Amino acid sequence: MDILKFESVALDEDKNLLRLLDQTKLPCEIEFLELQDIHDIWNAIYKLQVRGAPAIGIAAAFGSYLAALNIDVNDFESFFEKFHAAKEYLNSARPTAVNLSWALNRMEKIALDNREIEISEIKTLLKNEAIKIKDEDTQMCRKIGELGLTLIKDGDGILTHCNAGQLATSKYGTALAPIHLGRERGMNFHVYCDETRPLLQGARLSTFELIADGVDTTLICDNMASQVMKNGWVNAVFVGADRIAANGDSCNKIGTSGLAILAQYYKIPFYVFAPTSSIDMNIKNGADITIEERPSEEITEMWYKKRMAPEKVKVYNPAFDVVSNELIAGIVTEYGIARPPYSESLREIFERKNTNG
Ligand code: MRU
């Protein structure tokens, strides 16, 4: 199977619908959802049928375009009131990944900047913008992959957490992009995938896409990372991010911060991979990032034939945590690898981005 031909998120322009690879069904079933209604799209984002920061942003951009298509009014004020409500609704599906609001704000700006033209023309511009958001993501991921490849050599062992791969983006992924690009060039890496409790994105998704690309892949439970590092099998840790603060504090799937602490102990470089669309320069540090909390059943019931914990037990289920900037060897973006101190290097990354347009 050529995993790089898989599209997690796509717009069917003829049928005006959003096509999503249902990630809750992987790896056992490869099933595509076809959605038009924004409530269904909200639900798909909330339930992680589409997931991963860039993929969520792209799905929401297409979702807001489909919402715009259904707004049947001729004056801008009435159109915008409904469009804005749809945008806010989609934005409420998940709080942590900044790509969601980033993509939706881009869509809203297109509408506002073109208030003087016909509503039908605004709808066409919205479609073009959503397609552009997706295409740009592919280019960003490819550049991130190229830069990431400079950090490793053929035969290296890489430990990763959650899924920051092709499935989580438009193409290639972020943390897994160097692995896929390396494969295209005949390189081989040993990738250790944390299973990533409780939703098992590592066990179900990263292993699926890496094996599909012919990568030597080993699945470990989250609590085995220390042992694998101690064995000397890991040359670098590569993870993605849902939101990076201006000081480099990086929020990613729950369990990532523990991994960074272990990597420091074993003197293994810990790299965060993210497009600039995942960097939130309005947030000073990680303490200001909203951490999504999810239903307790994800821990107590999902994946078990019978509920495995007592009915009355209290459950804490944060979906993300924040890696302190001092644990990060580099943040790999499409505009270069930021190094500490991140308050300066991330500012430079954005200066580069703004100069390059
Ligand atoms: O809850 P998820 O599966 O959406 O969480 C995804 C992650 O934490 C990814 O590492 C992150 O979004 C980066 S994806 C390129």
Side-chain angles (χ1 to χ4, degrees), residues 48 51 94 96 160-163 194-202 221-223 239-242 250-260 270 291-294 298-299 316-323:
L48 274 58
R51 51 146 298 282
R94 297 189 74 189
T96 304
T160 191
H161 191 70
C162 194
N163 171 262
D194 271 357
E195 64 173 353
T196 318
R197 283 281 291 156
L199 293 182
L200 307 182
Q201 290 92 333
C221 299
D222 298 341
N223 55 5
V239 297
D242 286 80
S250 298
C251 182
N252 190 49
K253 180 52 53 192
I254 190 71
T256 307
S257 73
L259 210 52
F270 182 95
I291 304 284
E292 175 183 16
E293 283 192 42
R294 295 192 55 90
E298 289 180 353
I299 294 179
Y316 174 50
N317 183 14
F320 301 95
D321 60 22
V322 176
V323 180

Side-chain angles (χ1 to χ4, degrees), residues 135-177:
D135 290 346
E136 284 175 10
D137 185 66
T138 305
Q139 290 160 26
M140 292 193 280
C141 288
R142 193 165 174 107
K143 280 191 196 148
I144 286 171
E146 295 284 358
L147 288 169
L149 259 184
T150 66
L151 301 170
I152 45 178
K153 55 182 191 327
D154 200 14
D156 271 357
I158 315 294
L159 176 58
T160 191
H161 191 70
C162 194
N163 171 262
Q166 162 98 1
L167 294 166
T169 62
S170 58
K171 200 167 175 158
Y172 302 112
T174 56
L176 297 187

Side-chain angles (χ1 to χ4, degrees), residues 292-303:
E292 175 183 16
E293 283 192 42
R294 295 192 55 90
S296 56
E297 296 75 36
E298 289 180 353
I299 294 179
T300 57
E301 289 175 34
M302 237 168 150
W303 322 113

Side-chain angles (χ1 to χ4, degrees), residues 11-13 16-17 36 38 41 59-71 79 83 86 90 104 107 120 122-131:
L11 178 72
D12 184 325
E13 290 185 55
N16 282 326
L17 50 83
Q36 231 156 9
I38 60 163
I41 295 171
F62 285 140
S64 68
Y65 161 63
L66 295 174
L69 277 188
N70 284 331
I71 303 173
F79 170 79
F83 181 71
L90 286 169
L104 287 167
M107 296 296 285
S120 59
I122 296 181
K123 290 178 181 174
T124 305
L125 293 180
L126 287 170
K127 175 167 86 173
N128 296 343
E129 185 69 3
I131 292 172

